[in-house]
């Protein structure tokens, strides 16, 4: 469970990274839309795991690799923004957020289910115990 401090720092880094992707790091995105969906910070605040969602799908890996290669640049820009709030600027680890794909997969599974109607005697379909 994250402490309140970790949660606050995570939210601030998420906000700052999102703003940086729009303004200072737009050249790294190859005209893709990158959204920071969440940030988890280690207990000592030295590592920030940022989860990003990238659209369009066909550019995901190339944009993620570009961001990972330039993580030092991102950390430097983040340091300028949080220098008065944090003693140590966290190291940024970027991960692809696959929540949307997971939701779509689950929707397909649920839509393909065939649920038999309840029987006349009140039992559930053809199932008998």
């Amino acid at each position: 469970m994250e402490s309140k401090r970790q949660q606050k720092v995570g939210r601030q880094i998420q906000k700052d990274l999102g703003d940086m992707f729009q303004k200072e790091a737009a050249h790294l995105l190859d005209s893709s839309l990158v959204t920071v969906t969440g940030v988890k910070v280690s207990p000592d605040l030295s590592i920030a795991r940022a989860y990003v969602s990238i659209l369009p799908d066909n550019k995901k890996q190339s944009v993620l690799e570009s961001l990972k290669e330039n993580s030092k640049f991102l950390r430097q820009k983040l340091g300028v923004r949080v220098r008065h709030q944090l003693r140590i600027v966290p190291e940024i680890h970027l991960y692809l957020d696959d929540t949307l794909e997971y939701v779509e997969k689950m929707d397909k599974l649920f839509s393909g289910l065939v649920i038999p109607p309840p029987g006349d005697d009140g039992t559930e379909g053809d199932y008998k115990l």
Side-chain angles (χ1 to χ4, degrees), residues 30-78:
D30 190 28
S31 68
S32 296
L33 176 66
V34 176
T35 305
V36 182
T37 58
V39 175
K40 302 284 185 192
V41 183
S42 65
D44 61 353
L45 306 179
S46 65
I47 297 173
R49 293 183 315 240
Y51 296 91
V52 295
S53 175
I54 301 169
L55 293 174
D57 287 341
N58 59 355
K59 293 184 179 181
K60 279 184 180 183
Q61 291 303 323
S62 63
V63 172
L64 185 63
E65 288 303 316
S66 173
L67 291 174
K68 284 182 177 180
E69 289 171 5
N70 292 290
S71 64
K72 289 182 182 179
F73 168 77
L74 295 173
R75 186 177 183 199
Q76 177 194 11
K77 293 294 182 185
L78 182 65

Side-chain angles (χ1 to χ4, degrees), residues 86-118:
L86 298 175
R87 188 170 54 94
I88 298 172
V89 179
E91 194 176 311
I92 301 170
H93 295 184
L94 295 164
Y95 298 96
L96 199 56
D97 184 16
D98 59 350
T99 306
L100 187 60
E101 290 87 19
Y102 180 74
V103 168
E104 289 174 359
K105 179 182 173 186
M106 295 307 290
D107 280 344
K108 283 182 184 177
L109 286 173
F110 287 134
S111 67
L113 287 178
V114 178
I115 301 172

